[in-house]
Amino acid sequence: MLARPLESLLAGNSSVSLGPDGTPTASMNHPSGAACQVSLPGSRVTSWKHSDRGEILVEGAAAGLLPCGLEGVIAPTDWTIQSLVGLEDEVLMFSTFAEVKTAEGVPVRARTEVQLGPSRISMILEVSNCGADEMEWEEEQEEAPSDARERSAKRSRILPLHLPHAGLQGSLRCHQGTHVPSEPVDASNGILLGGTKLETFGFSQVKLALAGDVLHFRALAPCEVILQPGETVSGSFDLILC
């Protein structure tokens, strides 16, 4: 879904247009020659190119860089465009937003942000349980004191949001013979994956898998995420070409 006509979504070296599959796609072209594309469904980075190394990501419906662990909470089609920012501090930025309710009625808001630099791409994910916001709004509308029992019942229906595998994932091209650990690693201080360095914040536990010349990774929270009303989980990664 688009909040504005496509032709108005221009920001310096960035634009949004319909991709080959007919879905909105953001294109960011950095003056250095780096470029990336973000498909709105799933808020997925489908391409990241460097002026010297060419395409870095793996193509395919489930490849690229994207949020993970939100299945059953946020559908790929729930994402909308939030903002598109031209060159600022040597970085181009594109962000998306989703606002949904789970099957149990838990109100959820989520946001992603992709930043592109000369030799770096970053992705940020934030997910919030907005139950507390809804309760505050409902109580502001209440006038009759006799409704206290009804308000109490509404509070009891504000449930926690379980996100046991929430985080960010990606698929990169790599050199044959690249070594990856078999056990999850802490990437908060950075890990070298062939010619690319992966740094994480928040989603610090990284699971890696190598299939030929394709490296798959998942950056997850170090423990299971259970968001109470009013709580937010956030995390990010940087991929830096070495």
Side-chain angles (χ1 to χ4, degrees), residues 80-108:
T80 62
I81 295 172
Q82 184 182 48
S83 64
L84 183 66
V85 180
L87 195 65
E88 185 174 304
D89 296 329
E90 296 299 317
V91 170
L92 300 168
M93 187 273 286
F94 174 71
S95 63
T96 64
F97 182 79
E99 189 168 7
V100 300
K101 281 192 176 182
T102 68
E104 296 78 19
V106 178
V108 180

PDB file of all heavy atoms in Angstrom, residues 80-108:
ATOM      1  N   THR A  80       4.001  -0.538   4.628  1.00  0.00           N
ATOM      2  CA  THR A  80       3.767   0.660   3.832  1.00  0.00           C
ATOM      3  C   THR A  80       5.021   1.526   3.868  1.00  0.00           C
ATOM      4  O   THR A  80       5.872   1.382   4.756  1.00  0.00           O
ATOM      5  CB  THR A  80       2.578   1.478   4.365  1.00  0.00           C
ATOM      6  OG1 THR A  80       2.877   1.921   5.700  1.00  0.00           O
ATOM      7  CG2 THR A  80       1.317   0.647   4.389  1.00  0.00           C
ATOM      8  N   ILE A  81       5.129   2.428   2.906  1.00  0.00           N
ATOM      9  CA  ILE A  81       6.276   3.327   2.856  1.00  0.00           C
ATOM     10  C   ILE A  81       6.137   4.398   3.919  1.00  0.00           C
ATOM     11  O   ILE A  81       5.101   5.047   4.022  1.00  0.00           O
ATOM     12  CB  ILE A  81       6.401   3.978   1.467  1.00  0.00           C
ATOM     13  CG1 ILE A  81       6.712   2.906   0.426  1.00  0.00           C
ATOM     14  CG2 ILE A  81       7.491   5.059   1.468  1.00  0.00           C
ATOM     15  CD1 ILE A  81       6.662   3.417  -0.998  1.00  0.00           C
ATOM     16  N   GLN A  82       7.193   4.575   4.720  1.00  0.00           N
ATOM     17  CA  GLN A  82       7.197   5.638   5.723  1.00  0.00           C
ATOM     18  C   GLN A  82       7.959   6.866   5.238  1.00  0.00           C
ATOM     19  O   GLN A  82       7.443   7.975   5.251  1.00  0.00           O
ATOM     20  CB  GLN A  82       7.804   5.143   7.037  1.00  0.00           C
ATOM     21  CG  GLN A  82       7.742   6.193   8.146  1.00  0.00           C
ATOM     22  CD  GLN A  82       8.389   5.723   9.429  1.00  0.00           C
ATOM     23  OE1 GLN A  82       9.502   5.195   9.418  1.00  0.00           O
ATOM     24  NE2 GLN A  82       7.691   5.883  10.543  1.00  0.00           N
ATOM     25  N   SER A  83       9.200   6.677   4.793  1.00  0.00           N
ATOM     26  CA  SER A  83       9.978   7.828   4.328  1.00  0.00           C
ATOM     27  C   SER A  83      11.087   7.386   3.386  1.00  0.00           C
ATOM     28  O   SER A  83      11.522   6.233   3.383  1.00  0.00           O
ATOM     29  CB  SER A  83      10.579   8.597   5.516  1.00  0.00           C
ATOM     30  OG  SER A  83      11.507   7.775   6.217  1.00  0.00           O
ATOM     31  N   LEU A  84      11.516   8.348   2.587  1.00  0.00           N
ATOM     32  CA  LEU A  84      12.601   8.154   1.630  1.00  0.00           C
ATOM     33  C   LEU A  84      13.461   9.405   1.696  1.00  0.00           C
ATOM     34  O   LEU A  84      12.986  10.498   1.414  1.00  0.00           O
ATOM     35  CB  LEU A  84      12.026   7.960   0.232  1.00  0.00           C
ATOM     36  CG  LEU A  84      12.978   7.677  -0.917  1.00  0.00           C
ATOM     37  CD1 LEU A  84      13.643   6.328  -0.726  1.00  0.00           C
ATOM     38  CD2 LEU A  84      12.217   7.700  -2.239  1.00  0.00           C
ATOM     39  N   VAL A  85      14.711   9.245   2.121  1.00  0.00           N
ATOM     40  CA  VAL A  85      15.572  10.402   2.384  1.00  0.00           C
ATOM     41  C   VAL A  85      16.778  10.360   1.458  1.00  0.00           C
ATOM     42  O   VAL A  85      17.443   9.319   1.336  1.00  0.00           O
ATOM     43  CB  VAL A  85      16.038  10.424   3.858  1.00  0.00           C
ATOM     44  CG1 VAL A  85      16.932  11.629   4.120  1.00  0.00           C
ATOM     45  CG2 VAL A  85      14.833  10.450   4.800  1.00  0.00           C
ATOM     46  N   GLY A  86      17.061  11.481   0.796  1.00  0.00           N
ATOM     47  CA  GLY A  86      18.215  11.578  -0.081  1.00  0.00           C
ATOM     48  C   GLY A  86      19.514  11.641   0.704  1.00  0.00           C
ATOM     49  O   GLY A  86      19.540  11.423   1.922  1.00  0.00           O
ATOM     50  N   LEU A  87      20.584  11.922   0.024  1.00  0.00           N
ATOM     51  CA  LEU A  87      21.915  11.874   0.622  1.00  0.00           C
ATOM     52  C   LEU A  87      22.010  12.804   1.826  1.00  0.00           C
ATOM     53  O   LEU A  87      21.769  13.998   1.735  1.00  0.00           O
ATOM     54  CB  LEU A  87      22.967  12.264  -0.419  1.00  0.00           C
ATOM     55  CG  LEU A  87      24.414  11.921  -0.050  1.00  0.00           C
ATOM     56  CD1 LEU A  87      24.582  10.410   0.036  1.00  0.00           C
ATOM     57  CD2 LEU A  87      25.358  12.486  -1.107  1.00  0.00           C
ATOM     58  N   GLU A  88      22.336  12.214   2.965  1.00  0.00           N
ATOM     59  CA  GLU A  88      22.501  12.956   4.212  1.00  0.00           C
ATOM     60  C   GLU A  88      23.576  12.267   5.023  1.00  0.00           C
ATOM     61  O   GLU A  88      23.464  11.089   5.346  1.00  0.00           O
ATOM     62  CB  GLU A  88      21.183  12.974   4.986  1.00  0.00           C
ATOM     63  CG  GLU A  88      21.206  13.833   6.241  1.00  0.00           C
ATOM     64  CD  GLU A  88      19.828  13.941   6.885  1.00  0.00           C
ATOM     65  OE1 GLU A  88      18.894  14.369   6.198  1.00  0.00           O
ATOM     66  OE2 GLU A  88      19.716  13.594   8.066  1.00  0.00           O
ATOM     67  N   ASP A  89      24.645  12.977   5.344  1.00  0.00           N
ATOM     68  CA  ASP A  89      25.784  12.375   6.046  1.00  0.00           C
ATOM     69  C   ASP A  89      26.321  11.162   5.293  1.00  0.00           C
ATOM     70  O   ASP A  89      26.628  10.122   5.885  1.00  0.00           O
ATOM     71  CB  ASP A  89      25.393  11.978   7.474  1.00  0.00           C
ATOM     72  CG  ASP A  89      25.027  13.182   8.318  1.00  0.00           C
ATOM     73  OD1 ASP A  89      25.599  14.260   8.072  1.00  0.00           O
ATOM     74  OD2 ASP A  89      24.181  13.046   9.211  1.00  0.00           O
ATOM     75  N   GLU A  90      26.384  11.280   3.961  1.00  0.00           N
ATOM     76  CA  GLU A  90      26.925  10.226   3.093  1.00  0.00           C
ATOM     77  C   GLU A  90      26.064   8.969   3.071  1.00  0.00           C
ATOM     78  O   GLU A  90      26.522   7.910   2.650  1.00  0.00           O
ATOM     79  CB  GLU A  90      28.363   9.850   3.516  1.00  0.00           C
ATOM     80  CG  GLU A  90      29.369  10.972   3.375  1.00  0.00           C
ATOM     81  CD  GLU A  90      29.502  11.439   1.924  1.00  0.00           C
ATOM     82  OE1 GLU A  90      29.545  10.591   1.034  1.00  0.00           O
ATOM     83  OE2 GLU A  90      29.558  12.661   1.709  1.00  0.00           O
ATOM     84  N   VAL A  91      24.799   9.050   3.525  1.00  0.00           N
ATOM     85  CA  VAL A  91      23.930   7.882   3.610  1.00  0.00           C
ATOM     86  C   VAL A  91      22.593   8.182   2.954  1.00  0.00           C
ATOM     87  O   VAL A  91      22.024   9.265   3.122  1.00  0.00           O
ATOM     88  CB  VAL A  91      23.717   7.473   5.086  1.00  0.00           C
ATOM     89  CG1 VAL A  91      22.634   6.413   5.210  1.00  0.00           C
ATOM     90  CG2 VAL A  91      25.011   6.945   5.689  1.00  0.00           C
ATOM     91  N   LEU A  92      22.060   7.201   2.204  1.00  0.00           N
ATOM     92  CA  LEU A  92      20.696   7.228   1.691  1.00  0.00           C
ATOM     93  C   LEU A  92      19.845   6.350   2.599  1.00  0.00           C
ATOM     94  O   LEU A  92      20.324   5.327   3.105  1.00  0.00           O
ATOM     95  CB  LEU A  92      20.641   6.709   0.257  1.00  0.00           C
ATOM     96  CG  LEU A  92      21.457   7.481  -0.784  1.00  0.00           C
ATOM     97  CD1 LEU A  92      21.533   6.689  -2.085  1.00  0.00           C
ATOM     98  CD2 LEU A  92      20.847   8.838  -1.036  1.00  0.00           C
ATOM     99  N   MET A  93      18.584   6.707   2.796  1.00  0.00           N
ATOM    100  CA  MET A  93      17.761   5.973   3.749  1.00  0.00           C
ATOM    101  C   MET A  93      16.345   5.759   3.228  1.00  0.00           C
ATOM    102  O   MET A  93      15.767   6.657   2.609  1.00  0.00           O
ATOM    103  CB  MET A  93      17.716   6.730   5.080  1.00  0.00           C
ATOM    104  CG  MET A  93      17.018   5.984   6.218  1.00  0.00           C
ATOM    105  SD  MET A  93      15.229   6.260   6.271  1.00  0.00           S
ATOM    106  CE  MET A  93      15.198   7.930   6.916  1.00  0.00           C
ATOM    107  N   PHE A  94      15.810   4.570   3.484  1.00  0.00           N
ATOM    108  CA  PHE A  94      14.425   4.232   3.136  1.00  0.00           C
ATOM    109  C   PHE A  94      13.821   3.473   4.315  1.00  0.00           C
ATOM    110  O   PHE A  94      14.462   2.570   4.863  1.00  0.00           O
ATOM    111  CB  PHE A  94      14.393   3.359   1.875  1.00  0.00           C
ATOM    112  CG  PHE A  94      13.023   2.840   1.522  1.00  0.00           C
ATOM    113  CD1 PHE A  94      12.045   3.693   1.045  1.00  0.00           C
ATOM    114  CD2 PHE A  94      12.727   1.496   1.651  1.00  0.00           C
ATOM    115  CE1 PHE A  94      10.783   3.213   0.709  1.00  0.00           C
ATOM    116  CE2 PHE A  94      11.474   1.008   1.313  1.00  0.00           C
ATOM    117  CZ  PHE A  94      10.500   1.873   0.840  1.00  0.00           C
ATOM    118  N   SER A  95      12.607   3.852   4.733  1.00  0.00           N
ATOM    119  CA  SER A  95      11.986   3.179   5.873  1.00  0.00           C
ATOM    120  C   SER A  95      10.559   2.769   5.550  1.00  0.00           C
ATOM    121  O   SER A  95       9.876   3.391   4.735  1.00  0.00           O
ATOM    122  CB  SER A  95      12.006   4.070   7.121  1.00  0.00           C
ATOM    123  OG  SER A  95      11.247   5.244   6.918  1.00  0.00           O
ATOM    124  N   THR A  96      10.108   1.688   6.209  1.00  0.00           N
ATOM    125  CA  THR A  96       8.752   1.179   6.041  1.00  0.00           C
ATOM    126  C   THR A  96       8.097   1.039   7.413  1.00  0.00           C
ATOM    127  O   THR A  96       8.773   1.024   8.448  1.00  0.00           O
ATOM    128  CB  THR A  96       8.740  -0.188   5.339  1.00  0.00           C
ATOM    129  OG1 THR A  96       9.397  -1.163   6.173  1.00  0.00           O
ATOM    130  CG2 THR A  96       9.448  -0.116   4.000  1.00  0.00           C
ATOM    131  N   PHE A  97       6.771   0.908   7.398  1.00  0.00           N
ATOM    132  CA  PHE A  97       6.001   0.891   8.641  1.00  0.00           C
ATOM    133  C   PHE A  97       4.836  -0.081   8.490  1.00  0.00           C
ATOM    134  O   PHE A  97       4.260  -0.204   7.402  1.00  0.00           O
ATOM    135  CB  PHE A  97       5.481   2.299   8.932  1.00  0.00           C
ATOM    136  CG  PHE A  97       4.710   2.424  10.233  1.00  0.00           C
ATOM    137  CD1 PHE A  97       5.376   2.512  11.439  1.00  0.00           C
ATOM    138  CD2 PHE A  97       3.321   2.459  10.231  1.00  0.00           C
ATOM    139  CE1 PHE A  97       4.670   2.634  12.624  1.00  0.00           C
ATOM    140  CE2 PHE A  97       2.614   2.582  11.401  1.00  0.00           C
ATOM    141  CZ  PHE A  97       3.288   2.670  12.604  1.00  0.00           C
ATOM    142  N   ALA A  98       4.498  -0.768   9.584  1.00  0.00           N
ATOM    143  CA  ALA A  98       3.342  -1.668   9.585  1.00  0.00           C
ATOM    144  C   ALA A  98       2.597  -1.507  10.898  1.00  0.00           C
ATOM    145  O   ALA A  98       3.216  -1.360  11.961  1.00  0.00           O
ATOM    146  CB  ALA A  98       3.774  -3.118   9.396  1.00  0.00           C
ATOM    147  N   GLU A  99       1.279  -1.529  10.838  1.00  0.00           N
ATOM    148  CA  GLU A  99       0.425  -1.439  12.029  1.00  0.00           C
ATOM    149  C   GLU A  99      -0.685  -2.466  11.883  1.00  0.00           C
ATOM    150  O   GLU A  99      -1.518  -2.354  10.981  1.00  0.00           O
ATOM    151  CB  GLU A  99      -0.144  -0.033  12.185  1.00  0.00           C
ATOM    152  CG  GLU A  99      -0.859   0.194  13.500  1.00  0.00           C
ATOM    153  CD  GLU A  99      -1.156   1.663  13.759  1.00  0.00           C
ATOM    154  OE1 GLU A  99      -0.914   2.486  12.845  1.00  0.00           O
ATOM    155  OE2 GLU A  99      -1.596   1.989  14.870  1.00  0.00           O
ATOM    156  N   VAL A 100      -0.682  -3.477  12.752  1.00  0.00           N
ATOM    157  CA  VAL A 100      -1.611  -4.602  12.623  1.00  0.00           C
ATOM    158  C   VAL A 100      -2.108  -5.021  14.002  1.00  0.00           C
ATOM    159  O   VAL A 100      -1.637  -4.521  15.032  1.00  0.00           O
ATOM    160  CB  VAL A 100      -0.923  -5.815  11.943  1.00  0.00           C
ATOM    161  CG1 VAL A 100      -0.424  -5.461  10.553  1.00  0.00           C
ATOM    162  CG2 VAL A 100       0.241  -6.333  12.793  1.00  0.00           C
ATOM    163  N   LYS A 101      -3.047  -5.965  14.005  1.00  0.00           N
ATOM    164  CA  LYS A 101      -3.453  -6.658  15.219  1.00  0.00           C
ATOM    165  C   LYS A 101      -3.296  -8.155  14.982  1.00  0.00           C
ATOM    166  O   LYS A 101      -3.633  -8.659  13.898  1.00  0.00           O
ATOM    167  CB  LYS A 101      -4.902  -6.326  15.582  1.00  0.00           C
ATOM    168  CG  LYS A 101      -5.075  -4.977  16.260  1.00  0.00           C
ATOM    169  CD  LYS A 101      -6.458  -4.830  16.866  1.00  0.00           C
ATOM    170  CE  LYS A 101      -6.565  -3.506  17.630  1.00  0.00           C
ATOM    171  NZ  LYS A 101      -7.896  -3.340  18.275  1.00  0.00           N
ATOM    172  N   THR A 102      -2.792  -8.847  15.984  1.00  0.00           N
ATOM    173  CA  THR A 102      -2.638 -10.287  15.864  1.00  0.00           C
ATOM    174  C   THR A 102      -4.003 -10.958  15.938  1.00  0.00           C
ATOM    175  O   THR A 102      -5.023 -10.321  16.226  1.00  0.00           O
ATOM    176  CB  THR A 102      -1.741 -10.835  16.985  1.00  0.00           C
ATOM    177  OG1 THR A 102      -2.432 -10.690  18.247  1.00  0.00           O
ATOM    178  CG2 THR A 102      -0.414 -10.091  17.041  1.00  0.00           C
ATOM    179  N   ALA A 103      -4.022 -12.264  15.710  1.00  0.00           N
ATOM    180  CA  ALA A 103      -5.272 -13.008  15.797  1.00  0.00           C
ATOM    181  C   ALA A 103      -5.894 -12.917  17.185  1.00  0.00           C
ATOM    182  O   ALA A 103      -7.112 -13.012  17.344  1.00  0.00           O
ATOM    183  CB  ALA A 103      -5.031 -14.476  15.424  1.00  0.00           C
ATOM    184  N   GLU A 104      -5.054 -12.702  18.202  1.00  0.00           N
ATOM    185  CA  GLU A 104      -5.544 -12.569  19.579  1.00  0.00           C
ATOM    186  C   GLU A 104      -5.951 -11.144  19.914  1.00  0.00           C
ATOM    187  O   GLU A 104      -6.401 -10.869  21.024  1.00  0.00           O
ATOM    188  CB  GLU A 104      -4.478 -13.041  20.573  1.00  0.00           C
ATOM    189  CG  GLU A 104      -4.105 -14.512  20.481  1.00  0.00           C
ATOM    190  CD  GLU A 104      -3.173 -14.801  19.316  1.00  0.00           C
ATOM    191  OE1 GLU A 104      -2.527 -13.839  18.814  1.00  0.00           O
ATOM    192  OE2 GLU A 104      -3.105 -15.965  18.905  1.00  0.00           O
ATOM    193  N   GLY A 105      -5.740 -10.227  18.972  1.00  0.00           N
ATOM    194  CA  GLY A 105      -6.126  -8.840  19.191  1.00  0.00           C
ATOM    195  C   GLY A 105      -5.037  -7.950  19.732  1.00  0.00           C
ATOM    196  O   GLY A 105      -5.302  -6.798  20.105  1.00  0.00           O
ATOM    197  N   VAL A 106      -3.799  -8.430  19.791  1.00  0.00           N
ATOM    198  CA  VAL A 106      -2.690  -7.604  20.289  1.00  0.00           C
ATOM    199  C   VAL A 106      -2.313  -6.578  19.221  1.00  0.00           C
ATOM    200  O   VAL A 106      -1.984  -6.948  18.087  1.00  0.00           O
ATOM    201  CB  VAL A 106      -1.461  -8.465  20.642  1.00  0.00           C
ATOM    202  CG1 VAL A 106      -0.312  -7.584  21.120  1.00  0.00           C
ATOM    203  CG2 VAL A 106      -1.812  -9.502  21.694  1.00  0.00           C
ATOM    204  N   PRO A 107      -2.358  -5.274  19.539  1.00  0.00           N
ATOM    205  CA  PRO A 107      -1.970  -4.253  18.554  1.00  0.00           C
ATOM    206  C   PRO A 107      -0.450  -4.174  18.433  1.00  0.00           C
ATOM    207  O   PRO A 107       0.260  -4.075  19.433  1.00  0.00           O
ATOM    208  CB  PRO A 107      -2.556  -2.968  19.137  1.00  0.00           C
ATOM    209  CG  PRO A 107      -2.631  -3.217  20.608  1.00  0.00           C
ATOM    210  CD  PRO A 107      -2.851  -4.688  20.798  1.00  0.00           C
ATOM    211  N   VAL A 108       0.035  -4.217  17.202  1.00  0.00           N
ATOM    212  CA  VAL A 108       1.475  -4.273  16.929  1.00  0.00           C
ATOM    213  C   VAL A 108       1.843  -3.185  15.924  1.00  0.00           C
ATOM    214  O   VAL A 108       1.134  -2.975  14.940  1.00  0.00           O
ATOM    215  CB  VAL A 108       1.882  -5.648  16.362  1.00  0.00           C
ATOM    216  CG1 VAL A 108       3.385  -5.695  16.070  1.00  0.00           C
ATOM    217  CG2 VAL A 108       1.483  -6.765  17.315  1.00  0.00           C
TER     218      VAL A 108
END
